[in-house]
């Protein structure tokens, strides 16, 4: 089905997506609220920022902010990194490529193009909004932390180019259960990344 916000089918899909945002169904217990969550010590984190060492980018929406990232939503613990279209993004943590979508249009609604990495401990890293054919790995590939996974874009429900990154536990299909994570190479070394702030990857 083609997506159009002005078509009946497009509106139906949008309403279904928004309804899922507030859903508490799905595997596992309900996620903690933002008030209940704790963020790991960055020095002990297994994650690095999902872009190359030496690069600096600004955050957009971050944890427990607004819109899809608001408290109680599946993406409450997600991060938006404002990276220009075509910027390589890397594996924040190593693992096996669980799934890939790369044939969706470079612009438009729906989920768009993304890659999911299985960390083999019950958690998954999700990287969203690549352009069509913008993901360079395939299901079953083994990736190391720092390996390039693809390039950024604005496919799916993205109004501008950025990388949407989140870590989830259990079933990685939507509506998933996100968890709070920190990044050991982020400078400044905030345990919980703030929105609209520049972070360098060391």
């Amino acid at each position: 089905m083609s997506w159009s916000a002005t078509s009946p089918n497009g509106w139906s899909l949008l309403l279904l997506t928004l309804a899922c945002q507030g859903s508490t169904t799905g595997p596992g217990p309900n996620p903690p609220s933002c008030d209940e969550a704790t963020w790991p010590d960055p020095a002990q984190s297994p994650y690095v920022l999902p872009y190359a060492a030496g690069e600096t980018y600004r955050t957009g929406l971050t944890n427990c902010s607004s819109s899809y990232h608001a408290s109680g939503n599946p993406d409450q613990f997600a991060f938006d990194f404002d990276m220009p279209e075509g910027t390589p993004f890397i594996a924040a943590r190593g693992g096996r490529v669980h799934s890939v979508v790369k044939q969706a249009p470079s612009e438009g609604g729906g989920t768009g193009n993304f890659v999911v990495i299985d960390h083999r401990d019950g958690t998954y890293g999700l990287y969203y909004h690549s352009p069509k054919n913008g993901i360079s790995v395939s299901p079953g590939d083994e990736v190391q932390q720092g390996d390039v996974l693809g390039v950024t874009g604005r496919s799916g429900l993205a109004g501008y180019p950025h990388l949407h990154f989140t870590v989830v536990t259990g079933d990685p299909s939507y509506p998933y259960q996100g968890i709070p994570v920190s990044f050991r190479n982020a400078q400044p070394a905030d345990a919980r990344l703030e929105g609209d702030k520049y972070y360098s990857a060391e």
Side-chain angles (χ1 to χ4, degrees):
M1 179 182 72
S2 61
W3 166 267
S4 170
T6 58
S7 72
N9 285 341
W11 280 115
S12 296
L13 181 57
L14 177 60
L15 291 173
L16 176 61
T17 301
L18 293 175
C20 286
Q21 288 289 330
S23 172
T24 57
T25 62
N30 294 338
S33 71
C34 290
D35 291 336
E36 299 168 333
T38 57
W39 279 259
D41 177 359
Q44 306 301 319
S45 175
Y47 299 94
V48 297
L49 289 168
Y51 43 88
E55 298 291 320
T56 301
Y57 295 102
R58 189 186 67 169
T59 54
L61 295 175
T62 54
N63 294 181
C64 308
S65 52
S66 61
S67 184
Y68 294 105
H69 298 241
S71 182
N73 288 327
D75 281 307
Q76 67 179 347
F77 296 120
F79 304 88
D80 286 350
F81 296 99
D82 295 351
M83 301 163 68
E85 190 160 359
T87 303
F89 64 89
I90 65 168
R93 183 178 173 188
R96 181 183 61 84
V97 179
H98 174 271
S99 54
V100 168
V101 171
K102 60 182 178 181
Q103 292 299 318
S106 294
E107 296 185 22
T111 58
N113 298 299
F114 61 90
V115 56
V116 177
I117 304 297
D118 180 356
H119 301 140
R120 292 195 172 92
D121 64 351
T123 66
Y124 297 81
L126 283 60
Y127 306 75
Y128 277 83
H129 301 317
S130 289
K132 185 175 181 179
N133 296 319
I135 295 173
S136 54
V137 294
S138 300
D141 287 351
E142 295 290 334
V143 296
Q144 302 298 315
Q145 187 173 68
D147 287 351
V148 173
L149 302 178
V151 297
T152 56
R154 53 173 297 176
S155 67
L157 294 173
Y160 65 96
H162 67 279
L163 175 67
H164 178 95
F165 173 72
T166 189
V167 177
V168 305
T169 183
D171 186 351
S173 59
Y174 196 89
Y176 36 67
Q177 181 175 315
I179 59 173
V181 299
S182 57
F183 303 92
R184 70 170 181 269
N185 70 334
Q187 286 298 324
D190 297 332
R192 176 179 173 180
L193 299 193
E194 300 176 16
D196 194 24
K197 185 172 179 177
Y198 286 90
Y199 287 94
S200 298
E202 290 200 335

